[in-house]
mmCIF file of all heavy atoms in Angstrom:
data_model
loop_
_atom_site.group_PDB
_atom_site.id
_atom_site.type_symbol
_atom_site.label_atom_id
_atom_site.label_comp_id
_atom_site.label_asym_id
_atom_site.label_seq_id
_atom_site.Cartn_x
_atom_site.Cartn_y
_atom_site.Cartn_z
ATOM 1 N N GLY K 1 15.997 205.105 181.789
ATOM 2 C CA GLY K 1 14.922 205.865 181.069
ATOM 3 C C GLY K 1 14.074 206.731 181.929
ATOM 4 O O GLY K 1 13.171 207.359 181.459
ATOM 5 N N LYS K 2 14.394 206.935 183.262
ATOM 6 C CA LYS K 2 13.735 207.804 184.038
ATOM 7 C C LYS K 2 14.057 209.185 183.871
ATOM 8 O O LYS K 2 15.171 209.625 183.391
ATOM 9 C CB LYS K 2 14.041 207.435 185.572
ATOM 10 C CG LYS K 2 13.519 206.125 185.994
ATOM 11 C CD LYS K 2 13.713 205.858 187.503
ATOM 12 C CE LYS K 2 13.158 204.467 187.907
ATOM 13 N NZ LYS K 2 13.431 204.221 189.329
ATOM 14 N N ALA K 3 13.076 210.102 184.040
ATOM 15 C CA ALA K 3 13.289 211.520 183.743
ATOM 16 C C ALA K 3 14.191 212.098 184.939
ATOM 17 O O ALA K 3 13.823 211.995 186.133
ATOM 18 C CB ALA K 3 11.926 212.252 183.820
ATOM 19 N N VAL K 4 15.260 212.768 184.590
ATOM 20 C CA VAL K 4 16.191 213.409 185.538
ATOM 21 C C VAL K 4 15.752 214.739 185.790
ATOM 22 O O VAL K 4 15.898 215.288 186.847
ATOM 23 C CB VAL K 4 17.633 213.268 184.972
ATOM 24 C CG1 VAL K 4 18.600 213.901 185.935
ATOM 25 C CG2 VAL K 4 17.951 211.833 184.789
ATOM 26 N N ARG K 5 15.382 215.434 184.626
ATOM 27 C CA ARG K 5 15.064 216.899 184.741
ATOM 28 C C ARG K 5 14.038 217.234 183.687
ATOM 29 O O ARG K 5 14.046 216.717 182.538
ATOM 30 C CB ARG K 5 16.395 217.665 184.426
ATOM 31 C CG ARG K 5 16.564 219.078 184.797
ATOM 32 C CD ARG K 5 16.545 219.411 186.223
ATOM 33 N NE ARG K 5 17.632 220.084 186.720
ATOM 34 C CZ ARG K 5 17.599 220.962 187.626
ATOM 35 N NH1 ARG K 5 16.463 221.248 188.313
ATOM 36 N NH2 ARG K 5 18.638 221.667 188.140
ATOM 37 N N THR K 6 13.148 218.049 184.023
ATOM 38 C CA THR K 6 12.260 218.725 182.985
ATOM 39 C C THR K 6 12.204 220.156 183.147
ATOM 40 O O THR K 6 12.339 220.653 184.271
ATOM 41 C CB THR K 6 10.768 218.141 183.007
ATOM 42 O OG1 THR K 6 10.160 218.593 184.309
ATOM 43 C CG2 THR K 6 10.726 216.597 182.930
ATOM 44 N N ALA K 7 12.048 220.870 182.163
ATOM 45 C CA ALA K 7 12.062 222.341 182.161
ATOM 46 C C ALA K 7 11.051 222.865 181.154
ATOM 47 O O ALA K 7 10.891 222.339 180.091
ATOM 48 C CB ALA K 7 13.370 222.953 181.864
ATOM 49 N N GLU K 8 10.292 223.845 181.483
ATOM 50 C CA GLU K 8 9.377 224.411 180.634
ATOM 51 C C GLU K 8 9.735 225.857 180.274
ATOM 52 O O GLU K 8 10.199 226.667 181.078
ATOM 53 C CB GLU K 8 7.994 224.523 181.283
ATOM 54 C CG GLU K 8 6.819 225.141 180.338
ATOM 55 C CD GLU K 8 5.538 225.254 181.025
ATOM 56 O OE1 GLU K 8 5.549 225.822 182.162
ATOM 57 O OE2 GLU K 8 4.519 224.934 180.474
ATOM 58 N N PHE K 9 9.653 226.241 178.899
ATOM 59 C CA PHE K 9 10.058 227.574 178.416
ATOM 60 C C PHE K 9 8.902 228.175 177.756
ATOM 61 O O PHE K 9 8.116 227.522 177.042
ATOM 62 C CB PHE K 9 11.214 227.396 177.427
ATOM 63 C CG PHE K 9 12.448 226.746 177.994
ATOM 64 C CD1 PHE K 9 12.634 225.405 178.140
ATOM 65 C CD2 PHE K 9 13.483 227.633 178.543
ATOM 66 C CE1 PHE K 9 13.688 224.823 178.766
ATOM 67 C CE2 PHE K 9 14.612 227.043 179.104
ATOM 68 C CZ PHE K 9 14.717 225.645 179.236
ATOM 69 N N SER K 10 8.771 229.469 177.909
ATOM 70 C CA SER K 10 7.804 230.240 177.135
ATOM 71 C C SER K 10 8.648 230.841 175.918
ATOM 72 O O SER K 10 9.779 231.367 176.156
ATOM 73 C CB SER K 10 7.308 231.390 178.047
ATOM 74 O OG SER K 10 6.435 230.888 179.073
ATOM 75 N N GLY K 11 8.049 230.816 174.847
ATOM 76 C CA GLY K 11 8.716 231.274 173.600
ATOM 77 C C GLY K 11 9.179 230.170 172.784
ATOM 78 O O GLY K 11 8.680 228.981 172.982
ATOM 79 N N VAL K 12 10.094 230.341 171.851
ATOM 80 C CA VAL K 12 10.674 229.289 171.048
ATOM 81 C C VAL K 12 12.164 229.035 171.410
ATOM 82 O O VAL K 12 12.971 229.937 171.465
ATOM 83 C CB VAL K 12 10.509 229.659 169.626
ATOM 84 C CG1 VAL K 12 11.209 228.592 168.704
ATOM 85 C CG2 VAL K 12 9.121 229.881 169.197
ATOM 86 N N VAL K 13 12.481 227.788 171.613
ATOM 87 C CA VAL K 13 13.868 227.318 172.071
ATOM 88 C C VAL K 13 14.675 227.453 170.769
ATOM 89 O O VAL K 13 14.376 226.803 169.751
ATOM 90 C CB VAL K 13 13.842 225.986 172.622
ATOM 91 C CG1 VAL K 13 15.246 225.538 172.994
ATOM 92 C CG2 VAL K 13 13.009 226.002 173.942
ATOM 93 N N LEU K 14 15.871 228.108 170.881
ATOM 94 C CA LEU K 14 16.841 228.055 169.722
ATOM 95 C C LEU K 14 17.680 226.771 169.661
ATOM 96 O O LEU K 14 18.050 226.375 168.572
ATOM 97 C CB LEU K 14 17.809 229.299 169.889
ATOM 98 C CG LEU K 14 17.168 230.657 170.054
ATOM 99 C CD1 LEU K 14 18.260 231.668 170.077
ATOM 100 C CD2 LEU K 14 16.185 230.906 168.893
ATOM 101 N N GLY K 15 17.983 226.231 170.780
ATOM 102 C CA GLY K 15 18.720 224.895 170.727
ATOM 103 C C GLY K 15 19.130 224.578 172.082
ATOM 104 O O GLY K 15 18.855 225.257 173.112
ATOM 105 N N GLN K 16 19.707 223.413 172.249
ATOM 106 C CA GLN K 16 20.062 222.800 173.544
ATOM 107 C C GLN K 16 21.346 222.035 173.404
ATOM 108 O O GLN K 16 21.735 221.660 172.297
ATOM 109 C CB GLN K 16 18.971 221.844 174.073
ATOM 110 C CG GLN K 16 18.778 220.581 173.188
ATOM 111 C CD GLN K 16 17.949 219.521 173.801
ATOM 112 O OE1 GLN K 16 17.773 219.445 174.995
ATOM 113 N NE2 GLN K 16 17.499 218.474 173.035
ATOM 114 N N ALA K 17 22.088 221.798 174.441
ATOM 115 C CA ALA K 17 23.269 221.007 174.514
ATOM 116 C C ALA K 17 23.429 220.372 175.837
ATOM 117 O O ALA K 17 22.947 220.908 176.814
ATOM 118 C CB ALA K 17 24.480 221.845 174.117
ATOM 119 N N LEU K 18 24.172 219.210 175.892
ATOM 120 C CA LEU K 18 24.477 218.500 177.099
ATOM 121 C C LEU K 18 25.959 218.430 177.328
ATOM 122 O O LEU K 18 26.724 217.939 176.418
ATOM 123 C CB LEU K 18 23.923 217.099 177.048
ATOM 124 C CG LEU K 18 22.393 216.953 177.253
ATOM 125 C CD1 LEU K 18 22.034 215.449 177.114
ATOM 126 C CD2 LEU K 18 21.888 217.453 178.612
ATOM 127 N N THR K 19 26.448 218.885 178.493
ATOM 128 C CA THR K 19 27.775 218.522 178.959
ATOM 129 C C THR K 19 27.488 217.191 179.785
ATOM 130 O O THR K 19 26.397 216.668 179.803
ATOM 131 C CB THR K 19 28.405 219.476 179.828
ATOM 132 O OG1 THR K 19 27.697 219.572 181.042
ATOM 133 C CG2 THR K 19 28.401 220.868 179.162
ATOM 134 N N ASN K 20 28.558 216.648 180.340
ATOM 135 C CA ASN K 20 28.340 215.453 181.123
ATOM 136 C C ASN K 20 27.509 215.687 182.430
ATOM 137 O O ASN K 20 26.888 214.717 183.003
ATOM 138 C CB ASN K 20 29.697 214.843 181.657
ATOM 139 C CG ASN K 20 30.250 214.078 180.412
ATOM 140 O OD1 ASN K 20 29.678 213.771 179.433
ATOM 141 N ND2 ASN K 20 31.635 213.798 180.631
ATOM 142 N N GLY K 21 27.415 216.984 182.899
ATOM 143 C CA GLY K 21 26.709 217.241 184.122
ATOM 144 C C GLY K 21 25.618 218.388 183.971
ATOM 145 O O GLY K 21 25.049 218.699 185.020
ATOM 146 N N THR K 22 25.409 218.896 182.812
ATOM 147 C CA THR K 22 24.595 220.055 182.705
ATOM 148 C C THR K 22 23.703 220.022 181.381
ATOM 149 O O THR K 22 24.218 219.620 180.338
ATOM 150 C CB THR K 22 25.437 221.408 182.635
ATOM 151 O OG1 THR K 22 26.270 221.433 183.854
ATOM 152 C CG2 THR K 22 24.528 222.639 182.616
ATOM 153 N N LEU K 23 22.606 220.454 181.495
ATOM 154 C CA LEU K 23 21.712 220.729 180.400
ATOM 155 C C LEU K 23 21.801 222.297 180.143
ATOM 156 O O LEU K 23 21.529 223.055 181.078
ATOM 157 C CB LEU K 23 20.244 220.389 180.592
ATOM 158 C CG LEU K 23 19.126 220.942 179.648
ATOM 159 C CD1 LEU K 23 19.315 220.440 178.198
ATOM 160 C CD2 LEU K 23 17.755 220.776 180.194
ATOM 161 N N ALA K 24 21.968 222.680 178.864
ATOM 162 C CA ALA K 24 22.077 224.054 178.509
ATOM 163 C C ALA K 24 20.995 224.386 177.446
ATOM 164 O O ALA K 24 20.875 223.614 176.428
ATOM 165 C CB ALA K 24 23.396 224.504 178.067
ATOM 166 N N VAL K 25 20.265 225.428 177.589
ATOM 167 C CA VAL K 25 19.135 225.755 176.546
ATOM 168 C C VAL K 25 19.326 227.196 176.265
ATOM 169 O O VAL K 25 19.394 228.075 177.037
ATOM 170 C CB VAL K 25 17.745 225.518 177.193
ATOM 171 C CG1 VAL K 25 16.734 225.807 176.178
ATOM 172 C CG2 VAL K 25 17.634 224.065 177.677
ATOM 173 N N GLU K 26 19.289 227.505 174.816
ATOM 174 C CA GLU K 26 19.464 228.946 174.420
ATOM 175 C C GLU K 26 18.095 229.381 173.864
ATOM 176 O O GLU K 26 17.359 228.738 173.223
ATOM 177 C CB GLU K 26 20.458 229.017 173.332
ATOM 178 C CG GLU K 26 20.642 230.462 172.861
ATOM 179 C CD GLU K 26 21.777 230.673 171.896
ATOM 180 O OE1 GLU K 26 22.067 229.651 171.133
ATOM 181 O OE2 GLU K 26 22.392 231.773 171.917
ATOM 182 N N THR K 27 17.726 230.633 174.383
ATOM 183 C CA THR K 27 16.477 231.283 173.846
ATOM 184 C C THR K 27 16.937 232.675 173.501
ATOM 185 O O THR K 27 17.981 233.193 173.775
ATOM 186 C CB THR K 27 15.506 231.339 174.899
ATOM 187 O OG1 THR K 27 15.992 232.053 176.096
ATOM 188 C CG2 THR K 27 15.060 229.975 175.400
ATOM 189 N N ALA K 28 15.925 233.341 172.747
ATOM 190 C CA ALA K 28 16.252 234.688 172.322
ATOM 191 C C ALA K 28 14.933 235.487 172.106
ATOM 192 O O ALA K 28 13.797 234.791 172.205
ATOM 193 C CB ALA K 28 17.097 234.750 171.063
ATOM 194 N N GLN K 29 14.971 236.690 171.731
ATOM 195 C CA GLN K 29 13.779 237.472 171.540
ATOM 196 C C GLN K 29 13.662 237.969 170.126
ATOM 197 O O GLN K 29 12.819 238.793 169.795
ATOM 198 C CB GLN K 29 13.759 238.727 172.498
ATOM 199 C CG GLN K 29 13.752 238.378 173.949
ATOM 200 C CD GLN K 29 13.666 239.601 174.873
ATOM 201 O OE1 GLN K 29 13.339 240.655 174.430
ATOM 202 N NE2 GLN K 29 14.022 239.442 176.134
ATOM 203 N N ASN K 30 14.419 237.285 169.220
ATOM 204 C CA ASN K 30 14.354 237.553 167.803
ATOM 205 C C ASN K 30 14.861 236.313 167.082
ATOM 206 O O ASN K 30 15.019 235.242 167.728
ATOM 207 C CB ASN K 30 15.171 238.750 167.519
ATOM 208 C CG ASN K 30 14.537 239.566 166.373
ATOM 209 O OD1 ASN K 30 14.164 238.968 165.317
ATOM 210 N ND2 ASN K 30 14.587 240.899 166.454
ATOM 211 N N TYR K 31 15.236 236.397 165.768
ATOM 212 C CA TYR K 31 15.622 235.291 165.051
ATOM 213 C C TYR K 31 17.065 234.977 165.219
ATOM 214 O O TYR K 31 17.579 234.083 164.650
ATOM 215 C CB TYR K 31 15.415 235.678 163.473
ATOM 216 C CG TYR K 31 13.980 235.739 163.015
ATOM 217 C CD1 TYR K 31 13.374 237.019 163.016
ATOM 218 C CD2 TYR K 31 13.200 234.620 162.766
ATOM 219 C CE1 TYR K 31 12.055 237.174 162.534
ATOM 220 C CE2 TYR K 31 11.933 234.763 162.405
ATOM 221 C CZ TYR K 31 11.296 236.039 162.299
ATOM 222 O OH TYR K 31 10.066 236.234 161.839
ATOM 223 N N PHE K 32 17.724 235.663 166.119
ATOM 224 C CA PHE K 32 19.149 235.453 166.344
ATOM 225 C C PHE K 32 19.470 235.936 167.782
ATOM 226 O O PHE K 32 18.751 236.735 168.397
ATOM 227 C CB PHE K 32 19.958 236.348 165.354
ATOM 228 C CG PHE K 32 19.302 237.684 165.077
ATOM 229 C CD1 PHE K 32 19.498 238.731 165.947
ATOM 230 C CD2 PHE K 32 18.613 237.877 163.930
ATOM 231 C CE1 PHE K 32 18.934 239.993 165.744
ATOM 232 C CE2 PHE K 32 17.886 239.089 163.796
ATOM 233 C CZ PHE K 32 18.143 240.203 164.640
ATOM 234 N N PRO K 33 20.537 235.493 168.280
ATOM 235 C CA PRO K 33 20.881 235.889 169.649
ATOM 236 C C PRO K 33 21.505 237.301 169.824
ATOM 237 O O PRO K 33 21.449 237.844 170.966
ATOM 238 C CB PRO K 33 21.822 234.822 170.140
ATOM 239 C CG PRO K 33 22.485 234.320 168.851
ATOM 240 C CD PRO K 33 21.383 234.447 167.807
ATOM 241 N N ALA K 34 22.141 237.694 168.757
ATOM 242 C CA ALA K 34 22.832 239.025 168.940
ATOM 243 C C ALA K 34 21.817 240.210 168.842
ATOM 244 O O ALA K 34 20.675 240.049 168.383
ATOM 245 C CB ALA K 34 23.827 239.187 167.764
ATOM 246 N N GLY K 35 22.314 241.432 169.257
ATOM 247 C CA GLY K 35 21.501 242.641 169.139
ATOM 248 C C GLY K 35 20.109 242.525 169.773
ATOM 249 O O GLY K 35 19.947 242.253 170.892
ATOM 250 N N SER K 36 19.140 242.778 168.940
ATOM 251 C CA SER K 36 17.733 242.754 169.485
ATOM 252 C C SER K 36 17.284 241.393 169.831
ATOM 253 O O SER K 36 16.322 241.169 170.539
ATOM 254 C CB SER K 36 16.817 243.312 168.443
ATOM 255 O OG SER K 36 16.741 242.492 167.318
ATOM 256 N N GLY K 37 18.102 240.380 169.511
ATOM 257 C CA GLY K 37 17.731 239.076 169.867
ATOM 258 C C GLY K 37 17.789 238.674 171.375
ATOM 259 O O GLY K 37 17.159 237.986 171.937
ATOM 260 N N LYS K 38 18.705 239.448 171.979
ATOM 261 C CA LYS K 38 19.000 239.370 173.440
ATOM 262 C C LYS K 38 19.034 237.992 173.862
ATOM 263 O O LYS K 38 18.274 237.463 174.755
ATOM 264 C CB LYS K 38 17.901 240.157 174.172
ATOM 265 C CG LYS K 38 17.801 241.570 173.941
ATOM 266 C CD LYS K 38 16.697 242.316 174.736
ATOM 267 C CE LYS K 38 16.857 243.835 174.384
ATOM 268 N NZ LYS K 38 15.689 244.532 175.105
ATOM 269 N N GLY K 39 20.031 237.126 173.285
ATOM 270 C CA GLY K 39 20.128 235.778 173.612
ATOM 271 C C GLY K 39 20.363 235.490 175.035
ATOM 272 O O GLY K 39 21.095 236.273 175.761
ATOM 273 N N THR K 40 19.889 234.372 175.551
ATOM 274 C CA THR K 40 20.084 233.943 176.881
ATOM 275 C C THR K 40 20.281 232.482 176.904
ATOM 276 O O THR K 40 19.666 231.652 176.139
ATOM 277 C CB THR K 40 18.834 234.148 177.853
ATOM 278 O OG1 THR K 40 18.590 235.568 177.850
ATOM 279 C CG2 THR K 40 19.064 233.636 179.199
ATOM 280 N N ILE K 41 21.321 231.946 177.694
ATOM 281 C CA ILE K 41 21.566 230.567 177.839
ATOM 282 C C ILE K 41 21.198 230.229 179.358
ATOM 283 O O ILE K 41 21.764 230.874 180.217
ATOM 284 C CB ILE K 41 22.937 230.110 177.530
ATOM 285 C CG1 ILE K 41 23.218 230.227 175.954
ATOM 286 C CG2 ILE K 41 23.329 228.713 178.008
ATOM 287 C CD1 ILE K 41 24.477 229.894 175.456
#
């Protein structure tokens, strides 16, 4: 139950996923990752 990792984001997080060894977080600058959304993982 101990915290392994914490991360803070500015803006609104689109989603997250876990592999066995990695946390992945997707953000964007619009309602979608494509085009003007400029998605980032």
Side-chain angles (χ1 to χ4, degrees):
K2 292 182 178 179
V4 176
R5 200 60 130 147
T6 68
E8 183 184 46
F9 297 84
S10 293
V12 179
V13 176
L14 303 185
Q16 64 166 345
L18 286 175
T19 69
N20 284 346
T22 303
L23 164 69
V25 181
E26 184 173 31
T27 58
Q29 297 181 19
N30 212 319
Y31 294 97
F32 40 80
S36 62
K38 298 181 180 179
T40 299
I41 290 180

